[in-house]
Amino acid sequence: MISEFVLLGLTSTWELEIFFFCIFLLAYAAIMAGNLLIVITVTCDSHLHSKPMYFLLGNLSFLDMSISTITTPKMITDFLREKKTISLWGCMAQMFFLHFLGGSEMTLLIVMAVDRYIAICKPLHYTSIMSHRVLVGSVLLSWAVGFVHTMSQMVFTVTLPFCGPNVVDDIFCDLPLVIKLACTETYVLELLVIADSGLLSFTCFTLLLISYTVILVIVRRGSSGGLSRALSTLSAHITVVTLFFGPCIFIYTWPFSSLSMDKFLSVFYSVITPLLNPIIYTLRNQEMKSAMSRLRTQHTGSQEKV
């Protein structure tokens, strides 16, 4: 039985590894700073803390930080190592949390879409419907969906015997690639993994597409000013949804599969998406920028008093 897996990473060229080390180190620092700033702003600003949309946004930023932390630090340190290895149970833990947090984030995006639907289409009932109890329950539901999603796959994966090849051609432990290394027939389990992840992704994307389409159709029947305000409010959400599901749909519907595409998808979801989300929500949201300005003013004032 093997005790570790070898990760091939992005490249084996030393010059490129140094270049990627610098790029991804800066990217990870930006991910943590940007998402942590959103979490702190939403938590400390009473105006945002009482609004459901920003409560959900704070949870989304927490998930982005967590997903990136599971994969990116290991990837960064591996750029400086000649032998890139990860222990068997470290690999299992990485896959468990990736699917756990990924499934939770997909479900949370649906909750955010429902929140926008109620805010735009039923504004008079928004406060009563999106109460704090409903918000907490929605977030817990998203975490529960992620947990069920990952357990339905990992409960079978951890019992697999690994006694032969241990090379994973990716930047982190990818469930379909690891399953293929098992010393037993895994055809049924591979189908289960594809069906499980594919069904969750397809269901979430379909529900998001329907919800945002319904919002735009309802608003379009009203005034043109209402449509422009709705588009302004929804633009950040639609951009994030497109970034989250767009590459996945493109790659999995592309007729020619390749390892380079798989690695691009791995980098996209572990680095690029968590990096872009805080930029999209802060640059396109005046309330968030105002809250950050108030927070900075309060911090400066407290320092002057000291």
Side-chain angles (χ1 to χ4, degrees), residues 100 143-153 196:
F100 175 36
W143 285 78
V145 170
F147 182 76
V148 171
H149 167 63
T150 192
M151 284 300 294
S152 64
Q153 302 173 93
D196 195 327

Side-chain angles (χ1 to χ4, degrees), residues 39-56 132 135 291 294:
V39 172
I40 292 173
T41 303
V42 171
T43 304
C44 297
D45 190 273
S46 58
H47 179 66
L48 294 185
H49 188 67
S50 60
K51 291 194 172 185
M53 184 182 82
Y54 296 102
F55 176 80
L56 298 174
H132 184 70
L135 281 175
R294 287 194 298 269

Side-chain angles (χ1 to χ4, degrees), residues 203-218:
T203 302
C204 290
F205 180 74
T206 302
L207 291 174
L208 287 167
L209 189 64
I210 292 173
S211 60
Y212 286 125
T213 302
V214 169
I215 292 172
L216 294 177
V217 168
I218 292 176

Side-chain angles (χ1 to χ4, degrees), residues 58-68 101 104-105 108 143:
N59 281 274
L60 181 67
S61 293
F62 176 77
L63 288 172
D64 281 336
M65 282 193 299
S66 302
I67 290 173
S68 186
L101 297 171
S104 300
E105 183 162 341
L108 187 64
W143 285 78

Side-chain angles (χ1 to χ4, degrees), residues 1-6 86-89 92 160-168 178 181-183:
M1 299 294 293
I2 63 172
S3 60
E4 63 182 18
F5 291 100
V6 177
I86 183 171
S87 68
L88 174 63
W89 288 107
M92 294 297 167
L160 291 174
F162 294 95
C163 55
N166 66 336
V167 177
V168 180
V178 172
L181 299 178
C183 303

